[in-house]
Amino acid sequence: MNDRVFELHAYVAASGSVVGGKERNGPLGNLFDMHDSDDRFGQSTWEKAESEMQRRALCIALEKWGRDQNALDAILAGDLLNQCVGSAYGLLDYHVPYFGLYGACSTAALGLMLGACLVSSGYLHHAAAVTSSHNSSAERQYRTPLEYGAQRTPTAQWTVTGASAFILGHERYAGHNSVRVTQAMPGIPIEMGIRDAANMGAAMAPAAVDTLERYFVASGTTPSDFDAIVTGDLGWEGSAIFHDLLYADGIEVAPRHTDCGSMIFSRHTQDTHAGGSGCGCSGVVMSAYFLPKLRSGEIRDMLLIGTGAMMSPDALKQGQCIPAIGHLVRLKGGD
Amino acid sequence: MNDRVFELHAYVAASGSVVGGKERNGPLGNLFDMHDSDDRFGQSTWEKAESEMQRRALCIALEKWGRDQNALDAILAGDLLNQCVGSAYGLLDYHVPYFGLYGACSTAALGLMLGACLVSSGYLHHAAAVTSSHNSSAERQYRTPLEYGAQRTPTAQWTVTGASAFILGHERYAGHNSVRVTQAMPGIPIEMGIRDAANMGAAMAPAAVDTLERYFVASGTTPSDFDAIVTGDLGWEGSAIFHDLLYADGIEVAPRHTDCGSMIFSRHTQDTHAGGSGCGCSGVVMSAYFLPKLRSGEIRDMLLIGTGAMMSPDALKQGQCIPAIGHLVRLKGGD
């Protein structure tokens, strides 16, 4: 039963993206709704700044939607911070039922999938899926404080400072040119022996491959059925492995595949090594880059495979490998 | 729209409970499916022991159900460890689609609610809701390593060493005397100014009150409609506050209310101060104590309000208060 495709009837009513300075200076910089050049968002700590980004991302999405929080039946949210406090504190201003998620960097896709399930089945009319990551809060929690100036390896990804919010509703409420969430497939945790926390791409690529291959079989589709197959976030290293593993199974995604972690920073001028990562990465790239293309019809049918590495620093110190997951969501563009 | 009651059509096909030595020596000790007196479960670290408890709890539930993991469409799981690694590693042996949750000590109720939504709406035929906590892994992560012998305050709760697994299915598959999950209401995060990580009961009680009062209004029910109103886990301190806050609003739950954290340890002989807590607490008490009473018809209609405190140690060090949440699930007993 592990090849179950969820048939969904949801649409994206609005979305918001908030990023830091480095993301603003990247190739997609002028597409984001809001940025703060010094990544602080007026807060005294990086963790509070991350929470503030979530608060603002949802505020922006609600403004674009033209309704207030009373029209939201629930928020689904999670992030990378211990105990997901980026979400818990960031969304406290909203007096809305709350589902806490943990999907590591796959959280944007996990929230889109579960939110779409809950609105499709009528349990909720409208729900928000919110997530975030912050480079400075993530680095000191997962690796070392930035002040140490630790050298990064070539396979290391750069945690994106960004937060995204998507408001989902049942497709019966959708207007013209709405982006619809039509299918999803949850990921299965995969652990292939990778222990290097500076090579998340290698840990996550097999999980993305597993979900995508199960989806193609279960849905009867092939890569050529889609205008875009988007992973978030394998980075340059993980994307290469993703292509190799698929190719070994006779699947060629190259012309259609792109990766949010490979898009958000310039490989040549921004020195992020293997590209971007973090819950916020695929969230803000989806909100700012792909949703407008879906709305305009430039992209009519796409897959997002949100990937997450579900280890903790403590688990790695205890000799554990890195389990990863890939959650798949299919989105279709405007009429 | 914040008073939405979910109408559910799920049943509990089977469940499993695994506990440590102190829980085995408590008033409910002989009801649990499995225990390990030294809390190690054959593992070399407390974190690995916690993962092993989850693995075994689900294994026991599957054995009781009489089917294997291939009959499970998904697992919904979470725990208290950073990045929810208790679940991520504990359930790696199961090759099943995985939804990661974060609800702090409300995770058992959160998993029951979301799992019941997904099976009720037909997205899944059967799903498992799994969670855990371990006293030794929680203490060293949230407070101090046990070896320090830090003195505990009277309001401190004792994190339960325990893991639970519930297998949920659509009620159309239910046999005679099945326990059904008929309604649920998600919690809204509430933060009332409590900063004392040794007084979780005070932080969580207002969240339990908020959800319960919203539920009574939305469902048109009163306390007397239920054989049991069960919180998990306010402990002795939080339960007293829970009663006081409800009483101030003209609601008397005293004869029907009980709390999983107040039930699992002996107040007089086990020196746990304010009672039990942790994701595993309400999970194992539900599985071992309440589900059999529902199945036998001794309890015909009950509410579980799973409560969680969603702070992190870092957030408290940065001066934040403790946000809490209460997720409500209504269960009905056998025919």
Side-chain angles (χ1 to χ4, degrees):
Chain A
M1 304 300 287
N2 292 341
D3 53 0
R4 184 174 289 272
V5 174
F6 294 174
E7 299 295 337
L8 300 169
H9 305 281
Y11 82 109
V12 183
S15 71
S17 58
V18 173
V19 299
K22 193 178 185 86
E23 293 71 22
R24 176 66 176 83
N25 293 329
L28 310 179
N30 59 353
L31 301 177
F32 302 115
D33 294 314
M34 187 198 157
H35 76 280
D36 184 8
S37 302
D38 71 5
D39 293 6
R40 293 190 178 275
F41 294 89
Q43 303 299 309
S44 57
T45 72
W46 300 124
E47 290 75 15
K48 290 180 182 175
E50 180 168 348
S51 288
E52 176 66 8
M53 287 196 300
Q54 282 207 23
R55 192 185 71 77
R56 295 198 191 189
L58 181 51
C59 185
I60 289 166
L62 286 168
E63 276 175 21
K64 287 191 197 174
W65 189 32
R67 301 177 69 175
D68 70 12
Q69 57 168 299
N70 294 318
L72 277 184
D73 294 320
I75 297 171
L76 300 93
D79 58 89
L80 290 171
L81 293 179
N82 295 343
Q83 288 72 57
C84 298
V85 289
S87 308
Y89 289 99
L91 302 169
L92 258 183
D93 276 4
Y94 301 95
H95 193 72
V96 175
Y98 178 93
F99 295 93
L101 307 180
Y102 183 73
C105 304
S106 74
T107 305
L110 176 60
L112 284 169
M113 173 167 57
L114 273 176
C117 285
L118 291 171
V119 299
S120 296
S121 55
Y123 284 116
L124 309 171
H125 287 322
H126 286 96
V130 188
T131 191
S132 66
S133 52
H134 194 297
N135 184 269
S136 303
S137 65
E139 284 302 309
R140 67 179 175 184
Q141 177 183 282
Y142 280 100
R143 284 163 284 266
T144 58
L146 294 174
E147 294 85 343
Y148 286 13
Q151 192 167 2
R152 304 173 68 247
T153 64
T155 57
Q157 289 175 250
W158 186 279
T159 305
V160 163
T161 299
S164 62
F166 301 91
I167 296 173
L168 299 161
H170 192 285
E171 64 180 12
R172 79 168 72 94
Y173 306 116
H176 268 299
N177 296 320
S178 290
V179 176
R180 286 166 298 134
V181 182
T182 63
Q183 290 184 325
M185 180 177 255
I188 295 175
I190 304 279
E191 187 265 271
M192 297 288 280
I194 303 292
R195 291 171 201 274
D196 179 2
N199 193 352
M200 299 291 195
M204 296 189 290
V209 168
D210 177 76
T211 305
L212 186 59
E213 291 189 349
R214 286 188 297 116
Y215 176 78
F216 283 148
V217 172
S219 67
T221 56
T222 65
S224 60
D225 290 318
F226 303 97
D227 300 323
I229 296 171
V230 180
T231 47
D233 317 285
L234 299 177
W236 300 105
E237 177 78 6
S239 291
I241 297 169
F242 177 72
H243 284 225
D244 288 351
L245 291 173
L246 285 169
Y247 188 77
D249 291 338
I251 297 170
E252 175 63 83
V253 292
R256 289 168 184 82
H257 174 253
T258 183
D259 177 78
C260 298
S262 307
M263 295 169 67
I264 194 166
F265 297 122
S266 165
R267 189 171 193 174
H268 305 292
T269 64
Q270 288 194 294
D271 190 25
T272 58
H273 295 1
S277 68
C279 302
C281 181
S282 56
V284 299
V285 173
M286 280 302 297
S287 174
Y289 182 84
F290 285 109
L291 286 185
K293 286 196 186 305
L294 284 158
R295 222 169 273 124
S296 72
E298 187 178 338
I299 293 177
R300 298 193 62 81
D301 198 344
M302 69 171 273
L303 299 177
L304 167 68
I305 304 121
T307 54
M310 300 195 296
M311 85 300 171
S312 73
D314 288 343
L316 297 183
K317 286 174 197 156
Q318 293 183 9
Q320 303 265 37
C321 298
I322 302 175
I325 198 161
H327 292 301
L328 180 147
V329 179
R330 182 175 187 172
L331 299 108
K332 290 194 177 180
D335 309 319
Chain B
M1 303 302 287
N2 292 341
D3 52 359
R4 185 174 289 274
V5 175
F6 294 174
E7 300 295 337
L8 300 169
H9 306 281
Y11 82 109
V12 183
S15 72
S17 58
V18 173
V19 298
K22 193 177 185 87
E23 294 70 22
R24 176 66 177 83
N25 293 329
L28 309 179
N30 59 354
L31 302 177
F32 301 116
D33 294 313
M34 187 197 157
H35 75 280
D36 184 8
S37 302
D38 70 5
D39 294 6
R40 292 190 179 275
F41 294 89
Q43 302 300 308
S44 57
T45 73
W46 300 124
E47 290 74 17
K48 290 179 182 176
E50 179 167 348
S51 288
E52 177 65 7
M53 287 196 300
Q54 282 208 25
R55 192 185 71 77
R56 294 198 191 189
L58 181 52
C59 185
I60 290 167
L62 287 168
E63 276 175 20
K64 288 191 196 173
W65 189 31
R67 301 178 69 176
D68 70 12
Q69 58 167 297
N70 293 318
L72 277 184
D73 294 321
I75 297 172
L76 299 92
D79 58 89
L80 291 169
L81 293 179
N82 295 344
Q83 288 73 57
C84 298
V85 289
S87 308
Y89 289 99
L91 302 169
L92 258 183
D93 276 5
Y94 300 95
H95 193 71
V96 175
Y98 178 93
F99 295 93
L101 307 181
Y102 183 74
C105 304
S106 75
T107 306
L110 176 60
L112 283 170
M113 173 168 57
L114 272 176
C117 285
L118 292 171
V119 299
S120 297
S121 55
Y123 285 116
L124 309 171
H125 288 320
H126 285 95
V130 188
T131 190
S132 67
S133 52
H134 193 297
N135 184 270
S136 303
S137 66
E139 284 303 309
R140 68 178 175 183
Q141 177 183 282
Y142 279 100
R143 286 163 284 264
T144 58
L146 294 174
E147 294 84 345
Y148 285 13
Q151 192 167 2
R152 303 171 71 245
T153 64
T155 57
Q157 290 175 251
W158 187 279
T159 305
V160 163
T161 298
S164 62
F166 301 91
I167 296 173
L168 298 162
H170 193 285
E171 64 181 11
R172 81 168 71 94
Y173 306 115
H176 269 299
N177 295 320
S178 290
V179 176
R180 285 166 299 133
V181 183
T182 64
Q183 290 184 326
M185 180 177 256
I188 296 175
I190 304 279
E191 186 265 274
M192 297 288 280
I194 305 292
R195 290 170 201 274
D196 180 2
N199 194 352
M200 299 292 194
M204 295 190 292
V209 169
D210 177 77
T211 305
L212 186 60
E213 291 188 348
R214 288 189 296 117
Y215 176 77
F216 283 147
V217 171
S219 65
T221 56
T222 65
S224 60
D225 290 318
F226 302 96
D227 299 323
I229 296 171
V230 181
T231 48
D233 316 289
L234 300 177
W236 300 104
E237 176 80 6
S239 291
I241 298 169
F242 177 70
H243 284 226
D244 288 351
L245 291 173
L246 285 169
Y247 188 77
D249 291 339
I251 298 171
E252 176 63 82
V253 292
R256 288 168 183 82
H257 174 251
T258 183
D259 178 78
C260 299
S262 307
M263 296 170 67
I264 194 165
F265 297 122
S266 164
R267 189 171 193 174
H268 305 292
T269 64
Q270 288 194 295
D271 189 28
T272 58
H273 296 358
S277 68
C279 303
C281 181
S282 56
V284 299
V285 173
M286 281 301 299
S287 175
Y289 182 84
F290 286 108
L291 286 186
K293 287 197 186 302
L294 284 158
R295 223 171 272 124
S296 72
E298 187 177 338
I299 293 177
R300 298 193 62 80
D301 199 344
M302 69 171 274
L303 299 177
L304 167 69
I305 304 120
T307 54
M310 301 194 296
M311 85 299 171
S312 74
D314 288 342
L316 296 182
K317 286 175 198 156
Q318 293 183 10
Q320 304 265 37
C321 298
I322 302 175
I325 198 160
H327 292 301
L328 180 147
V329 179
R330 183 176 187 172
L331 299 108
K332 290 195 177 181
D335 310 318

